[in-house]
Amino acid sequence: MNTDRRRINAPSGGTSAPIFARTVKEAGYLQSLRPTRTRSPNEPRKIFLQTAIIPSASGSAYLEIPSTLPSPPSKTLIAPTSSLKITASIQGPKPLPRSAPFSPSLLLTTTVKFAPFASRTRRGYIRDSVERDLGVHLETALRGVIIGERWPKSGVEVIVTVLEGDEDAWWGDGCITVASAAIADAGIDCVDMVSGGVAAIVRNPSVKSRESVDALVTVLDPCPAEHQHIVAACAVGYLAERDEITEIWMKGDVGASPDALIEGARHAAVGSLTVLKEVLLEAVKGKIRGQVSQEEEKIAQQDIEMTG
């Protein structure tokens, strides 16, 4: 037995390299494992949203888009459907350091970071170009919403963490929606609630001719695992009450007329706004009920002390 504690002992038993039961031999095998979209082109996925999940933050929210299809019985490395899990926390508003220059409005700082286990390809701890690009888009989408003149010489930081997300997916709409819920939970005054939406132009696999009119289809809330060819995608930050778009960015070949793609992303944002309003309304009702119960407990305690 080796008594040297500075040396790591080898395992007692032997090890063998993993052996895969099946290799890809025939063409189209991986494509046969890909799930198909069962939703209509105008039907988005269901969203789970919850606020006040981080007690130490001024405001926080959690967004999850669960898988729409059950896991396949066979074991494969291909994900059954795209699953998105994002958290957002708000730090502030808080006074700026004395060394900072005077600012008549609120300074907004946004940070988007992927967890190392967010995708099948492990990410590094240093922010890459995708994370920095998403942070810039998120800051632009939120800057036109917050009423910054009410917090001079102050700053607020929005931290968004992607806990799970497939490769080549559009996380921008989820980041905007969860950040908007966290800002509302923090009690920061805004002109309206901003919500994110995404639409994509995908190639219809049932149409063989690419020059056909039905070869390209516009779908709302695309799932990357369900589509083999995503021609273009568009994500927007939308204010429904003011009918304004605070941020828009596209990717791919949108063609000569991108209006239909932008309109689809706007419709998807309206669907996210419906969930956002219901969640925030339930959160406000819960806070009011908590305050009322605390007041009733104080009154009951005072009555007990007076009778005692």
Side-chain angles (χ1 to χ4, degrees):
M1 182 176 178
N2 189 3
T3 59
D4 189 0
R5 297 183 178 181
R6 295 174 297 178
R7 187 184 302 274
I8 300 177
N9 297 329
S12 56
T15 59
S16 59
I19 300 176
F20 295 94
R22 180 171 182 175
T23 58
V24 181
K25 296 181 180 180
E26 64 274 13
Y29 169 68
L30 292 179
Q31 183 60 28
S32 64
L33 300 177
R34 184 182 298 275
T36 57
R37 182 185 177 106
T38 58
R39 300 173 285 129
S40 62
N42 296 328
E43 181 183 357
R45 289 173 291 180
K46 295 182 180 180
I47 298 176
F48 174 79
L49 185 63
Q50 184 178 355
T51 58
I53 62 170
I54 303 177
S56 60
S58 303
S60 58
Y62 170 77
L63 182 141
E64 179 179 351
I65 302 179
S67 300
T68 57
L69 296 177
S71 300
S74 61
K75 297 181 180 180
T76 173
L77 295 178
I78 300 179
T81 53
S82 295
S83 180
L84 189 63
K85 299 177 182 178
I86 307 177
T87 62
S89 61
I90 308 297
Q91 302 295 334
K94 53 187 177 181
L96 295 176
R98 293 184 178 181
S99 58
F102 175 78
S103 176
S105 60
L106 184 68
L107 290 180
L108 176 64
T109 305
T110 58
T111 303
V112 178
K113 187 72 180 72
F114 288 90
F117 48 84
S119 58
R120 285 176 292 175
T121 303
R122 187 172 180 85
R123 292 179 172 269
Y125 293 94
I126 302 176
R127 295 179 65 197
D128 55 14
S129 59
V130 176
E131 296 168 335
R132 291 192 294 268
D133 184 59
L134 283 174
V136 171
H137 287 298
L138 179 61
E139 181 179 356
T140 306
L142 300 178
R143 187 175 297 278
V145 180
I146 299 176
I147 306 177
E149 292 76 11
R150 298 188 179 180
W151 289 278
K153 300 185 296 183
S154 302
V156 63
E157 186 176 4
V158 181
I159 304 172
V160 176
T161 304
V162 180
L163 301 178
E164 183 178 348
D166 281 350
E167 295 86 349
D168 298 330
W170 281 76
W171 311 275
D173 60 325
C175 294
I176 293 175
T177 303
V178 71
S180 178
I183 289 174
D185 182 57
I188 300 176
D189 296 337
C190 300
V191 296
D192 194 3
M193 288 186 296
V194 58
S195 58
V198 62
I201 299 176
V202 300
R203 194 172 300 280
N204 191 355
S206 60
V207 180
K208 301 300 181 182
S209 178
R210 294 192 175 185
E211 297 179 358
S212 176
V213 180
D214 300 330
L216 300 179
V217 181
T218 301
V219 297
L220 305 184
D221 190 17
C223 177
E226 297 174 352
H227 304 285
Q228 182 180 5
H229 298 291
I230 298 180
V231 180
C234 173
V236 300
Y238 182 64
L239 303 177
E241 297 296 332
R242 301 167 68 94
D243 194 17
E244 295 180 2
I245 294 179
T246 58
E247 176 63 5
I248 178 174
W249 69 97
M250 300 182 182
K251 179 181 180 181
D253 185 10
V254 298
S257 179
D259 297 339
L261 187 61
I262 298 174
E263 188 68 16
R266 190 182 66 84
H267 282 296
V270 172
S272 301
L273 181 63
T274 304
V275 180
L276 182 61
K277 286 183 177 180
E278 293 180 359
V279 171
L280 294 179
L281 183 60
E282 291 295 331
V284 171
K285 290 181 180 180
K287 290 181 180 180
I288 293 176
R289 286 194 295 266
Q291 293 177 359
V292 171
S293 61
Q294 290 179 0
E295 292 295 334
E296 291 178 352
E297 290 179 0
K298 290 181 180 179
I299 294 175
Q301 187 67 25
Q302 290 177 0
D303 293 341
I304 293 174
E305 292 177 356
M306 292 177 62
T307 55

